[in-house]
Amino acid sequence: MSTSRRWISFLILSMSCGIVFQVAYIRFVFLGPTAEALRLSAQDYGNIISVFGAVAVVMYFLGGWFADRFEPRTLIVAALAGTGVADLYLAQAPGYWGAMAAHVVMAVMGMGLYWPALVKAIGMLGDSSEQGRLFGFLEGTRGVTSTVVGFVGTGIVAAAVVQSAGVIWLIRLYGVLCFAFAAMVWFWVKSDAERLANLGSSSVTLRQLWLAVRNKYTWLIGITAMLMYCFYTTLGYFSPLLEHRFGMAAGLIGVIGVIRTYVFQFVAGPAGGVVVDKVTKSSPRLLRWMFVGSAVVAVIFLVLPQEPAYMWVALALMFLLCLFVFTSRGVYFATVGEVEIPENERGGVIGLASGIAFLPDAFLPSLCAWWIGDPSASPAVPEHGGGYTALFAFLLAMALLGLLVTTLTTRTRARELASRAVSSPDAAPPVAAVTG
């Protein structure tokens, strides 16, 4: 493969990654208008999102099986086309069960077929010395693509007479783009059989899972990521808070949603890796500080009067929380290498830890919809169970638990290194030691 073809293939694959998940996660930018566009109550939409999350968790485990048995290009094309069909079907506002089916298809296509195949396809575009650069640029290109299409989407929704009508056209646009990228991948991206064979298996075997279950770091890493992922999952629910409690103009909510969801993705994520390498020298140590910052933000939101006079304070706090969340996302699984988990066990550890990490997607959207109600509905749906107070109290509890778990991780690793030093006093300590 020529250099130009290789980099154009990389660009097409990376940009497709910024398109394929847009509708599945459109709630992060247009929560209320999407529910209205689909003719669903906020609670029904929250329930559908939770089902999507539950199916996605299962697909994280099964996706490697597909990636080992089918050519990556074929899987990626099938996933993009399947997602395009689901998007266009969803744009018909097919009702509760139809929208549920569309989201299940998006979860299967995105997490079961697309993601593991994309990882293999990107890996084939370079040798072992280029993998870090390739995957780093993948995240950057994905973030830029998501930001651009996000701002275009905001313009489409803002130009519509009714926001919900704009959302329908936006969903259709994303569906068409999925088909366009499916065609580009099919006609441009080629597979290298020799390089593909060298990438090894993506499947997680039962033996690897059993070893992962017995490894304490699987649970420490997975629970740490899950606790921070609770903050990520709830970010979309800050939109109705800003609009209906702090009086922010509806036209600004979409722009803020794009900044919150995509701009921080490609700015804060890489920054987290740099801070770990240059400052903290430890992922759990950085994550511990991110949990401290998140706890402080949750406490301030608990006591901050929800009045228009404090709108810009609330916005600044939300952006600060986004900084903590996306900085953390960039280093979730770096701990796997730092604690020297053997290569033959890492697949199982990362697979099981990922399943634990993304569990909030299976229940939190439904719970958040119940907590905050829907003030824009007619008649309005009231808050339940404490409303936003319950939400921020929950997030505070997650932050405190995160502080506890990351502290436990650093101390566990420190004890291991101390024990190793006693048993082998001449052994040099590992470079990437996780210490507290």
Side-chain angles (χ1 to χ4, degrees), residues 154-167 169:
T154 300
I156 292 173
V157 174
V161 176
V162 180
Q163 278 195 326
S164 57
V167 169
W169 279 106

Side-chain angles (χ1 to χ4, degrees), residues 103-115:
H103 278 78
V104 169
V105 170
M106 286 189 282
V108 173
M109 294 293 115
M111 284 67 177
L113 302 188
Y114 178 85
W115 183 251

Side-chain angles (χ1 to χ4, degrees), residues 22 37 78 113 121 134 142-143 160 175 179 228 259 269-270 274 287 317 385 411:
Q22 286 292 330
L113 302 188
L134 283 170
R142 175 187 181 183
F179 283 115
M228 185 56 78
I259 296 172
V274 172
L287 290 167
L317 286 170
R411 291 185 177 178

Side-chain angles (χ1 to χ4, degrees), residues 56-105:
V57 168
V58 175
M59 287 298 107
Y60 278 117
F61 288 99
L62 301 181
W65 185 90
F66 293 104
D68 285 344
R69 284 159 179 79
F70 300 96
E71 182 192 22
R73 182 185 65 163
T74 303
L75 289 177
I76 292 170
V77 170
L80 285 166
T83 301
V85 170
D87 291 350
L88 295 180
Y89 174 69
L90 188 65
Q92 305 305 310
Y96 181 78
W97 293 109
M100 178 86 74
H103 278 78
V104 169
V105 170

Side-chain angles (χ1 to χ4, degrees), residues 8-17 181 184-185 188-189:
I8 293 174
S9 297
F10 172 81
L11 188 62
I12 291 172
L13 290 169
S14 299
M15 290 179 68
S16 75
C17 195
F181 274 98
M184 285 189 281
V185 171
W188 190 268
V189 178

